[in-house]
Amino acid sequence: MTAARPLQRAALACASVLGFLVVLELGLRAFGFVHMPPIVPMMIWNPVEDQALREGTGLFVQDVTQLWVPRPGASPPWAPEERINAAGYRGPELPLEREPGVVRVAALGDSSTFGLRVAADEAWPARLRGIRAEVLNAGVVGYTVRQGIERYKALVRAHRPDVVIAAFGAFNDHVMTKDMTDVEKVERRTAYSRMDRLRDRVRVELRVLHLVGWTVERLQGRDRAALREAFRRERIELREL
């Protein structure tokens, strides 16, 4: 009997705290209190392209390890009659099975390989001449060597090409990133687990945690307006760069 009383008291205390939090949550929602966490999204490409990646309506979509990839079914703006194939690259989709006696070539690279502003059959991978060969154009606009390595592992390797041609470095690998390198971005995105997503979701949804964040910011003297202005200026600077 005596041993059960501390447990009952602990249970009653927990129930009281939980009840208070529920009432507080309902009250905050009733008054419309919102104070979202100041989550700064990771910059994947640049402010303009990142918006298109999030919306999923442009030529490219986000990818965890490659950062962005061509969107299957999308049309390049300069070639509206063309569609990115179902496997996510330009040109005819090649089967994984090899045809005997046919050389298979895979081309990795950036916009010059992808064929920026030209038709798929005008990009240099499609213009290879001299032997009977199948060519897989795995180039992507804006790619760096690190992204090309990830694309090889995700797409090219399974096709077992006889020859891999890599054409990088004309521009993208010579421009410093504003915040993180490609290596850091890939490592952070691959380490973002389901628990991390659940944590961020809870932080966004619960108004009680909004109140906690608001209180902490007041105690620390942080100014949201100043933070937003600094973030805006940083994005303008990056866009100009």
Side-chain angles (χ1 to χ4, degrees), residues 81-237:
E81 71 287 348
E82 180 191 338
R83 294 286 185 274
I84 301 297
N85 66 42
Y89 56 90
R90 296 189 81 180
E93 184 177 350
L94 299 181
L96 294 180
E97 297 77 13
R98 296 286 305 274
E99 183 179 347
V102 178
V103 174
R104 177 166 287 187
V105 180
L108 290 164
D110 47 29
S111 55
S112 60
T113 302
F114 181 80
L116 183 65
R117 305 193 190 289
V118 299
D121 59 0
E122 294 177 333
W124 69 258
R127 310 286 287 183
L128 296 176
R129 295 289 186 269
I131 58 173
R132 184 185 176 204
E134 299 175 326
V135 181
L136 191 161
N137 184 349
V140 182
V141 175
Y143 260 32
T144 61
V145 170
R146 174 54 192 263
Q147 289 172 283
I149 292 173
E150 298 296 338
R151 189 150 178 80
Y152 173 82
K153 292 188 292 186
L155 172 65
V156 174
R157 183 162 54 190
H159 287 80
R160 297 180 293 116
D162 298 295
V163 179
V164 177
I165 304 173
F168 294 96
F171 178 76
N172 303 308
D173 283 290
H174 295 281
V175 178
M176 295 296 292
T177 54
K178 179 67 177 179
D179 44 8
M180 293 180 288
T181 65
D182 285 350
V183 173
E184 293 170 325
K185 290 177 182 179
V186 171
E187 289 177 349
R188 181 170 295 189
R189 287 169 64 83
T190 53
Y192 194 68
S193 66
R194 291 183 178 179
M195 288 302 297
D196 294 324
R197 288 191 288 271
L198 177 61
R199 177 203 62 208
D200 291 344
R201 183 69 178 176
V202 169
R203 173 65 180 88
V204 168
E205 293 296 333
L206 289 183
R207 305 298 171 85
V208 170
L209 295 181
H210 287 210
L211 180 61
V212 172
W214 179 86
T215 303
V216 170
E217 288 183 16
R218 290 300 180 275
L219 293 175
Q220 294 177 344
R222 296 171 63 186
D223 184 353
R224 275 288 182 93
L227 289 175
R228 284 194 296 269
E229 178 62 19
F231 182 72
R232 186 185 70 83
R233 289 183 178 277
E234 181 180 353
R235 287 296 187 260
I236 292 176
E237 177 186 348

